[in-house]
Amino acid sequence: GAVYERGAIKLLDDISRAYGERLGEVNRAAVDKVVSTVNRQLDFFGLKVARAHCPADGQFYYGIVNMRNDELAKKGTSLSEAQQAYFQRIKDHLIEKQKNQEGDSITWLEAENLRVELASHLKLSMDEADRTLETLVEQMWLHKGAPDGDEDDLVLGPRSILQLQYAAA
């Protein structure tokens, strides 16, 4: 439930919250065993429960990763085609900045302005771009608040980190 609904969960607090009780210190070996069992079942569907570190907040997250980049995967989202293209542009921009050692964050306004770079049939208004950014933060694709920047700066969120980690594999 919790991973599917929110896209990713923090290793300690959210796992205990997901199961309705405080677990205290989470036994990493036990969690890994459960994840391994679940992954054997998900493999057929091209999915995997994976773990990644999010530098923006220092937390470890588990999330479901799509191992197949197919058309079906693109339809399994609440985002429109224009919103997906917009997010891809933001993600590409953040990755490019990291590669060029220009930092790993962008301002909210900078992200909003990337909407004008979309193809003409995928245009978003400023309001639509703003709502899309809010959704991407809520769904943990983006993280608001860069470690070395302003609290309104955007960086890649846990779900993006997880998906990128396995897209390269």
Side-chain angles (χ1 to χ4, degrees), residues 74-111:
K74 293 176 185 172
K75 294 179 184 195
T77 178
S78 61
L79 300 177
S80 69
E81 182 182 1
Q83 290 172 313
Q84 289 179 51
Y86 177 52
F87 172 56
Q88 186 63 48
R89 180 65 195 105
I90 292 167
K91 189 168 60 170
D92 290 346
H93 184 73
L94 284 164
I95 292 168
E96 190 64 32
K97 284 186 75 165
Q98 289 173 350
K99 283 182 184 175
N100 294 334
Q101 298 180 344
E102 298 170 354
D104 59 356
S105 67
I106 58 174
T107 66
W108 192 275
L109 182 61
E110 188 178 355

mmCIF file of all heavy atoms in Angstrom, residues 74-111:
data_model
loop_
_atom_site.group_PDB
_atom_site.id
_atom_site.type_symbol
_atom_site.label_atom_id
_atom_site.label_comp_id
_atom_site.label_asym_id
_atom_site.label_seq_id
_atom_site.Cartn_x
_atom_site.Cartn_y
_atom_site.Cartn_z
ATOM 1 N N LYS A 74 4.415 4.330 -19.674
ATOM 2 C CA LYS A 74 4.099 5.750 -19.844
ATOM 3 C C LYS A 74 2.631 6.051 -19.583
ATOM 4 O O LYS A 74 2.268 7.177 -19.276
ATOM 5 C CB LYS A 74 4.494 6.205 -21.251
ATOM 6 C CG LYS A 74 5.993 6.177 -21.482
ATOM 7 C CD LYS A 74 6.342 6.525 -22.894
ATOM 8 C CE LYS A 74 7.837 6.364 -23.117
ATOM 9 N NZ LYS A 74 8.205 6.504 -24.506
ATOM 10 N N LYS A 75 1.779 5.041 -19.688
ATOM 11 C CA LYS A 75 0.354 5.236 -19.456
ATOM 12 C C LYS A 75 -0.014 5.057 -17.987
ATOM 13 O O LYS A 75 -1.107 5.412 -17.588
ATOM 14 C CB LYS A 75 -0.451 4.277 -20.326
ATOM 15 C CG LYS A 75 -0.297 4.592 -21.800
ATOM 16 C CD LYS A 75 -1.058 3.646 -22.675
ATOM 17 C CE LYS A 75 -0.734 4.018 -24.113
ATOM 18 N NZ LYS A 75 -1.599 3.476 -25.068
ATOM 19 N N GLY A 76 0.889 4.530 -17.201
ATOM 20 C CA GLY A 76 0.618 4.283 -15.786
ATOM 21 C C GLY A 76 0.897 5.498 -14.928
ATOM 22 O O GLY A 76 1.589 5.405 -13.921
ATOM 23 N N THR A 77 0.382 6.640 -15.328
ATOM 24 C CA THR A 77 0.623 7.885 -14.599
ATOM 25 C C THR A 77 -0.617 8.767 -14.681
ATOM 26 O O THR A 77 -1.424 8.638 -15.599
ATOM 27 C CB THR A 77 1.841 8.640 -15.168
ATOM 28 O OG1 THR A 77 2.001 9.858 -14.449
ATOM 29 C CG2 THR A 77 1.691 8.951 -16.648
ATOM 30 N N SER A 78 -0.731 9.649 -13.718
ATOM 31 C CA SER A 78 -1.835 10.619 -13.740
ATOM 32 C C SER A 78 -1.455 11.861 -14.536
ATOM 33 O O SER A 78 -2.276 12.749 -14.736
ATOM 34 C CB SER A 78 -2.202 11.020 -12.309
ATOM 35 O OG SER A 78 -1.095 11.624 -11.677
ATOM 36 N N LEU A 79 -0.222 11.929 -15.018
ATOM 37 C CA LEU A 79 0.244 13.100 -15.765
ATOM 38 C C LEU A 79 -0.152 13.013 -17.234
ATOM 39 O O LEU A 79 -0.079 11.941 -17.840
ATOM 40 C CB LEU A 79 1.762 13.222 -15.667
ATOM 41 C CG LEU A 79 2.372 13.388 -14.273
ATOM 42 C CD1 LEU A 79 3.888 13.422 -14.359
ATOM 43 C CD2 LEU A 79 1.834 14.628 -13.583
ATOM 44 N N SER A 80 -0.533 14.141 -17.793
ATOM 45 C CA SER A 80 -0.854 14.198 -19.219
ATOM 46 C C SER A 80 0.442 14.081 -20.030
ATOM 47 O O SER A 80 1.547 14.163 -19.485
ATOM 48 C CB SER A 80 -1.538 15.525 -19.548
ATOM 49 O OG SER A 80 -0.604 16.599 -19.427
ATOM 50 N N GLU A 81 0.289 13.932 -21.337
ATOM 51 C CA GLU A 81 1.459 13.854 -22.212
ATOM 52 C C GLU A 81 2.306 15.126 -22.098
ATOM 53 O O GLU A 81 3.542 15.061 -22.042
ATOM 54 C CB GLU A 81 1.013 13.635 -23.656
ATOM 55 C CG GLU A 81 2.168 13.484 -24.627
ATOM 56 C CD GLU A 81 1.712 13.306 -26.069
ATOM 57 O OE1 GLU A 81 0.498 13.310 -26.338
ATOM 58 O OE2 GLU A 81 2.600 13.194 -26.939
ATOM 59 N N ALA A 82 1.645 16.286 -22.039
ATOM 60 C CA ALA A 82 2.367 17.560 -21.909
ATOM 61 C C ALA A 82 3.101 17.631 -20.571
ATOM 62 O O ALA A 82 4.253 18.078 -20.511
ATOM 63 C CB ALA A 82 1.400 18.731 -22.048
ATOM 64 N N GLN A 83 2.453 17.185 -19.501
ATOM 65 C CA GLN A 83 3.096 17.195 -18.182
ATOM 66 C C GLN A 83 4.283 16.232 -18.139
ATOM 67 O O GLN A 83 5.306 16.539 -17.535
ATOM 68 C CB GLN A 83 2.084 16.835 -17.097
ATOM 69 C CG GLN A 83 1.047 17.912 -16.861
ATOM 70 C CD GLN A 83 -0.044 17.442 -15.933
ATOM 71 O OE1 GLN A 83 -0.597 16.348 -16.086
ATOM 72 N NE2 GLN A 83 -0.375 18.274 -14.952
ATOM 73 N N GLN A 84 4.149 15.081 -18.781
ATOM 74 C CA GLN A 84 5.261 14.135 -18.832
ATOM 75 C C GLN A 84 6.450 14.729 -19.587
ATOM 76 O O GLN A 84 7.600 14.593 -19.154
ATOM 77 C CB GLN A 84 4.819 12.823 -19.494
ATOM 78 C CG GLN A 84 3.890 11.994 -18.643
ATOM 79 C CD GLN A 84 3.466 10.728 -19.355
ATOM 80 O OE1 GLN A 84 4.291 9.983 -19.845
ATOM 81 N NE2 GLN A 84 2.166 10.499 -19.413
ATOM 82 N N ALA A 85 6.160 15.397 -20.715
ATOM 83 C CA ALA A 85 7.230 16.030 -21.491
ATOM 84 C C ALA A 85 7.889 17.144 -20.679
ATOM 85 O O ALA A 85 9.118 17.316 -20.711
ATOM 86 C CB ALA A 85 6.666 16.582 -22.805
ATOM 87 N N TYR A 86 7.089 17.885 -19.950
ATOM 88 C CA TYR A 86 7.587 18.966 -19.093
ATOM 89 C C TYR A 86 8.511 18.401 -18.010
ATOM 90 O O TYR A 86 9.615 18.903 -17.795
ATOM 91 C CB TYR A 86 6.398 19.712 -18.491
ATOM 92 C CG TYR A 86 6.734 20.816 -17.523
ATOM 93 C CD1 TYR A 86 7.636 21.825 -17.841
ATOM 94 C CD2 TYR A 86 6.091 20.871 -16.288
ATOM 95 C CE1 TYR A 86 7.908 22.851 -16.944
ATOM 96 C CE2 TYR A 86 6.358 21.898 -15.398
ATOM 97 C CZ TYR A 86 7.270 22.883 -15.726
ATOM 98 O OH TYR A 86 7.539 23.896 -14.844
ATOM 99 N N PHE A 87 8.065 17.340 -17.346
ATOM 100 C CA PHE A 87 8.905 16.715 -16.321
ATOM 101 C C PHE A 87 10.200 16.186 -16.930
ATOM 102 O O PHE A 87 11.275 16.362 -16.357
ATOM 103 C CB PHE A 87 8.153 15.592 -15.604
ATOM 104 C CG PHE A 87 9.031 14.807 -14.679
ATOM 105 C CD1 PHE A 87 9.755 15.433 -13.672
ATOM 106 C CD2 PHE A 87 9.149 13.435 -14.818
ATOM 107 C CE1 PHE A 87 10.575 14.715 -12.814
ATOM 108 C CE2 PHE A 87 9.970 12.711 -13.967
ATOM 109 C CZ PHE A 87 10.689 13.345 -12.971
ATOM 110 N N GLN A 88 10.114 15.567 -18.098
ATOM 111 C CA GLN A 88 11.322 15.053 -18.759
ATOM 112 C C GLN A 88 12.290 16.195 -19.044
ATOM 113 O O GLN A 88 13.500 16.048 -18.864
ATOM 114 C CB GLN A 88 10.956 14.317 -20.051
ATOM 115 C CG GLN A 88 12.139 13.633 -20.709
ATOM 116 C CD GLN A 88 12.750 12.545 -19.844
ATOM 117 O OE1 GLN A 88 12.046 11.701 -19.316
ATOM 118 N NE2 GLN A 88 14.061 12.568 -19.678
ATOM 119 N N ARG A 89 11.772 17.337 -19.464
ATOM 120 C CA ARG A 89 12.629 18.505 -19.743
ATOM 121 C C ARG A 89 13.311 18.988 -18.466
ATOM 122 O O ARG A 89 14.488 19.308 -18.466
ATOM 123 C CB ARG A 89 11.776 19.630 -20.372
ATOM 124 C CG ARG A 89 12.562 20.866 -20.696
ATOM 125 C CD ARG A 89 13.607 20.596 -21.788
ATOM 126 N NE ARG A 89 14.567 21.662 -21.829
ATOM 127 C CZ ARG A 89 15.821 21.583 -21.357
ATOM 128 N NH1 ARG A 89 16.288 20.474 -20.843
ATOM 129 N NH2 ARG A 89 16.611 22.619 -21.434
ATOM 130 N N ILE A 90 12.552 19.041 -17.367
ATOM 131 C CA ILE A 90 13.128 19.451 -16.076
ATOM 132 C C ILE A 90 14.206 18.467 -15.646
ATOM 133 O O ILE A 90 15.311 18.863 -15.243
ATOM 134 C CB ILE A 90 12.036 19.551 -14.994
ATOM 135 C CG1 ILE A 90 11.080 20.706 -15.299
ATOM 136 C CG2 ILE A 90 12.650 19.725 -13.602
ATOM 137 C CD1 ILE A 90 9.814 20.695 -14.463
ATOM 138 N N LYS A 91 13.897 17.186 -15.740
ATOM 139 C CA LYS A 91 14.849 16.143 -15.338
ATOM 140 C C LYS A 91 16.124 16.218 -16.183
ATOM 141 O O LYS A 91 17.235 16.185 -15.652
ATOM 142 C CB LYS A 91 14.189 14.769 -15.473
ATOM 143 C CG LYS A 91 14.986 13.638 -14.891
ATOM 144 C CD LYS A 91 14.173 12.353 -14.772
ATOM 145 C CE LYS A 91 13.670 11.882 -16.100
ATOM 146 N NZ LYS A 91 13.091 10.537 -16.079
ATOM 147 N N ASP A 92 15.963 16.354 -17.504
ATOM 148 C CA ASP A 92 17.122 16.477 -18.397
ATOM 149 C C ASP A 92 17.961 17.702 -18.038
ATOM 150 O O ASP A 92 19.196 17.646 -18.042
ATOM 151 C CB ASP A 92 16.676 16.569 -19.857
ATOM 152 C CG ASP A 92 16.098 15.268 -20.383
ATOM 153 O OD1 ASP A 92 16.269 14.206 -19.740
ATOM 154 O OD2 ASP A 92 15.445 15.314 -21.456
ATOM 155 N N HIS A 93 17.290 18.807 -17.733
ATOM 156 C CA HIS A 93 17.991 20.047 -17.367
ATOM 157 C C HIS A 93 18.799 19.846 -16.077
ATOM 158 O O HIS A 93 19.962 20.261 -15.989
ATOM 159 C CB HIS A 93 16.971 21.182 -17.207
ATOM 160 C CG HIS A 93 17.582 22.515 -16.922
ATOM 161 N ND1 HIS A 93 18.247 23.249 -17.881
ATOM 162 C CD2 HIS A 93 17.625 23.250 -15.773
ATOM 163 C CE1 HIS A 93 18.688 24.375 -17.331
ATOM 164 N NE2 HIS A 93 18.321 24.402 -16.061
ATOM 165 N N LEU A 94 18.190 19.210 -15.077
ATOM 166 C CA LEU A 94 18.896 18.958 -13.812
ATOM 167 C C LEU A 94 20.089 18.021 -14.017
ATOM 168 O O LEU A 94 21.175 18.252 -13.465
ATOM 169 C CB LEU A 94 17.937 18.370 -12.773
ATOM 170 C CG LEU A 94 16.977 19.367 -12.137
ATOM 171 C CD1 LEU A 94 15.834 18.649 -11.427
ATOM 172 C CD2 LEU A 94 17.724 20.285 -11.176
ATOM 173 N N ILE A 95 19.918 16.997 -14.819
ATOM 174 C CA ILE A 95 21.007 16.053 -15.091
ATOM 175 C C ILE A 95 22.142 16.752 -15.826
ATOM 176 O O ILE A 95 23.314 16.553 -15.510
ATOM 177 C CB ILE A 95 20.481 14.829 -15.872
ATOM 178 C CG1 ILE A 95 19.562 14.001 -14.973
ATOM 179 C CG2 ILE A 95 21.626 13.989 -16.411
ATOM 180 C CD1 ILE A 95 18.763 12.937 -15.709
ATOM 181 N N GLU A 96 21.786 17.597 -16.794
ATOM 182 C CA GLU A 96 22.797 18.343 -17.550
ATOM 183 C C GLU A 96 23.590 19.279 -16.624
ATOM 184 O O GLU A 96 24.809 19.390 -16.737
ATOM 185 C CB GLU A 96 22.127 19.131 -18.678
ATOM 186 C CG GLU A 96 23.086 19.738 -19.668
ATOM 187 C CD GLU A 96 23.892 18.701 -20.451
ATOM 188 O OE1 GLU A 96 23.387 17.604 -20.705
ATOM 189 O OE2 GLU A 96 25.043 19.005 -20.801
ATOM 190 N N LYS A 97 22.887 19.958 -15.714
ATOM 191 C CA LYS A 97 23.571 20.837 -14.754
ATOM 192 C C LYS A 97 24.556 20.044 -13.897
ATOM 193 O O LYS A 97 25.668 20.502 -13.636
ATOM 194 C CB LYS A 97 22.553 21.548 -13.849
ATOM 195 C CG LYS A 97 21.828 22.695 -14.526
ATOM 196 C CD LYS A 97 20.944 23.446 -13.563
ATOM 197 C CE LYS A 97 21.813 24.304 -12.673
ATOM 198 N NZ LYS A 97 21.118 25.330 -11.933
ATOM 199 N N GLN A 98 24.155 18.856 -13.468
ATOM 200 C CA GLN A 98 25.040 18.012 -12.661
ATOM 201 C C GLN A 98 26.263 17.592 -13.464
ATOM 202 O O GLN A 98 27.387 17.656 -12.965
ATOM 203 C CB GLN A 98 24.303 16.771 -12.159
ATOM 204 C CG GLN A 98 23.278 17.073 -11.096
ATOM 205 C CD GLN A 98 22.443 15.860 -10.718
ATOM 206 O OE1 GLN A 98 22.483 14.824 -11.366
ATOM 207 N NE2 GLN A 98 21.658 15.999 -9.656
ATOM 208 N N LYS A 99 26.058 17.185 -14.716
ATOM 209 C CA LYS A 99 27.169 16.753 -15.576
ATOM 210 C C LYS A 99 28.158 17.892 -15.795
ATOM 211 O O LYS A 99 29.365 17.676 -15.865
ATOM 212 C CB LYS A 99 26.653 16.247 -16.916
ATOM 213 C CG LYS A 99 26.062 14.876 -16.862
ATOM 214 C CD LYS A 99 25.622 14.425 -18.240
ATOM 215 C CE LYS A 99 24.949 13.086 -18.164
ATOM 216 N NZ LYS A 99 24.401 12.663 -19.453
ATOM 217 N N ASN A 100 27.639 19.103 -15.947
ATOM 218 C CA ASN A 100 28.493 20.272 -16.189
ATOM 219 C C ASN A 100 28.994 20.913 -14.900
ATOM 220 O O ASN A 100 29.574 21.993 -14.931
ATOM 221 C CB ASN A 100 27.741 21.313 -17.021
ATOM 222 C CG ASN A 100 27.431 20.831 -18.404
ATOM 223 O OD1 ASN A 100 28.125 19.979 -18.955
ATOM 224 N ND2 ASN A 100 26.360 21.347 -18.993
ATOM 225 N N GLN A 101 28.735 20.251 -13.784
ATOM 226 C CA GLN A 101 29.148 20.734 -12.460
ATOM 227 C C GLN A 101 28.658 22.153 -12.184
ATOM 228 O O GLN A 101 29.375 22.992 -11.657
ATOM 229 C CB GLN A 101 30.658 20.617 -12.298
ATOM 230 C CG GLN A 101 31.138 19.191 -12.378
ATOM 231 C CD GLN A 101 32.634 19.052 -12.207
ATOM 232 O OE1 GLN A 101 33.378 20.025 -12.305
ATOM 233 N NE2 GLN A 101 33.061 17.838 -11.944
ATOM 234 N N GLU A 102 27.391 22.389 -12.562
ATOM 235 C CA GLU A 102 26.754 23.685 -12.345
ATOM 236 C C GLU A 102 25.771 23.632 -11.186
ATOM 237 O O GLU A 102 24.899 24.485 -11.064
ATOM 238 C CB GLU A 102 26.023 24.131 -13.620
ATOM 239 C CG GLU A 102 26.934 24.324 -14.811
ATOM 240 C CD GLU A 102 26.158 24.523 -16.105
ATOM 241 O OE1 GLU A 102 24.916 24.398 -16.101
ATOM 242 O OE2 GLU A 102 26.807 24.794 -17.119
ATOM 243 N N GLY A 103 25.890 22.618 -10.359
ATOM 244 C CA GLY A 103 24.966 22.442 -9.247
ATOM 245 C C GLY A 103 23.949 21.374 -9.560
ATOM 246 O O GLY A 103 23.912 20.832 -10.664
ATOM 247 N N ASP A 104 23.115 21.090 -8.571
ATOM 248 C CA ASP A 104 22.129 20.025 -8.774
ATOM 249 C C ASP A 104 20.704 20.497 -8.525
ATOM 250 O O ASP A 104 19.798 19.690 -8.342
ATOM 251 C CB ASP A 104 22.442 18.818 -7.898
ATOM 252 C CG ASP A 104 22.452 19.160 -6.417
ATOM 253 O OD1 ASP A 104 22.292 20.341 -6.073
ATOM 254 O OD2 ASP A 104 22.627 18.237 -5.605
ATOM 255 N N SER A 105 20.497 21.813 -8.535
ATOM 256 C CA SER A 105 19.155 22.338 -8.282
ATOM 257 C C SER A 105 18.826 23.454 -9.270
ATOM 258 O O SER A 105 19.708 24.021 -9.908
ATOM 259 C CB SER A 105 19.045 22.861 -6.849
ATOM 260 O OG SER A 105 19.866 24.002 -6.679
ATOM 261 N N ILE A 106 17.515 23.712 -9.364
ATOM 262 C CA ILE A 106 17.027 24.852 -10.131
ATOM 263 C C ILE A 106 15.978 25.551 -9.286
ATOM 264 O O ILE A 106 15.373 24.951 -8.399
ATOM 265 C CB ILE A 106 16.425 24.445 -11.504
ATOM 266 C CG1 ILE A 106 15.276 23.448 -11.334
ATOM 267 C CG2 ILE A 106 17.487 23.911 -12.421
ATOM 268 C CD1 ILE A 106 14.553 23.118 -12.633
ATOM 269 N N THR A 107 15.778 26.820 -9.569
ATOM 270 C CA THR A 107 14.757 27.562 -8.840
ATOM 271 C C THR A 107 13.384 27.162 -9.380
ATOM 272 O O THR A 107 13.259 26.638 -10.496
ATOM 273 C CB THR A 107 14.931 29.087 -9.011
ATOM 274 O OG1 THR A 107 14.696 29.430 -10.382
ATOM 275 C CG2 THR A 107 16.316 29.534 -8.556
ATOM 276 N N TRP A 108 12.365 27.413 -8.592
ATOM 277 C CA TRP A 108 10.990 27.136 -9.009
ATOM 278 C C TRP A 108 10.684 27.888 -10.298
ATOM 279 O O TRP A 108 10.119 27.328 -11.234
ATOM 280 C CB TRP A 108 10.039 27.540 -7.881
ATOM 281 C CG TRP A 108 8.639 27.069 -8.054
ATOM 282 C CD1 TRP A 108 7.640 27.686 -8.761
ATOM 283 C CD2 TRP A 108 8.052 25.881 -7.526
ATOM 284 N NE1 TRP A 108 6.472 26.958 -8.690
ATOM 285 C CE2 TRP A 108 6.705 25.845 -7.929
ATOM 286 C CE3 TRP A 108 8.545 24.850 -6.723
ATOM 287 C CZ2 TRP A 108 5.837 24.809 -7.573
ATOM 288 C CZ3 TRP A 108 7.669 23.827 -6.366
ATOM 289 C CH2 TRP A 108 6.335 23.820 -6.797
ATOM 290 N N LEU A 109 11.077 29.176 -10.361
ATOM 291 C CA LEU A 109 10.818 29.996 -11.541
ATOM 292 C C LEU A 109 11.549 29.447 -12.767
ATOM 293 O O LEU A 109 10.999 29.404 -13.868
ATOM 294 C CB LEU A 109 11.224 31.449 -11.278
ATOM 295 C CG LEU A 109 10.972 32.429 -12.419
ATOM 296 C CD1 LEU A 109 9.482 32.493 -12.761
ATOM 297 C CD2 LEU A 109 11.491 33.815 -12.056
ATOM 298 N N GLU A 110 12.799 29.024 -12.568
ATOM 299 C CA GLU A 110 13.572 28.440 -13.664
ATOM 300 C C GLU A 110 12.847 27.192 -14.199
ATOM 301 O O GLU A 110 12.761 26.987 -15.413
ATOM 302 C CB GLU A 110 14.965 28.082 -13.158
ATOM 303 C CG GLU A 110 15.955 27.649 -14.194
ATOM 304 C CD GLU A 110 17.321 27.354 -13.604
ATOM 305 O OE1 GLU A 110 17.535 27.574 -12.392
ATOM 306 O OE2 GLU A 110 18.172 26.887 -14.369
ATOM 307 N N ALA A 111 12.326 26.380 -13.298
ATOM 308 C CA ALA A 111 11.585 25.178 -13.707
ATOM 309 C C ALA A 111 10.311 25.567 -14.458
ATOM 310 O O ALA A 111 9.996 24.976 -15.502
ATOM 311 C CB ALA A 111 11.249 24.320 -12.495
#
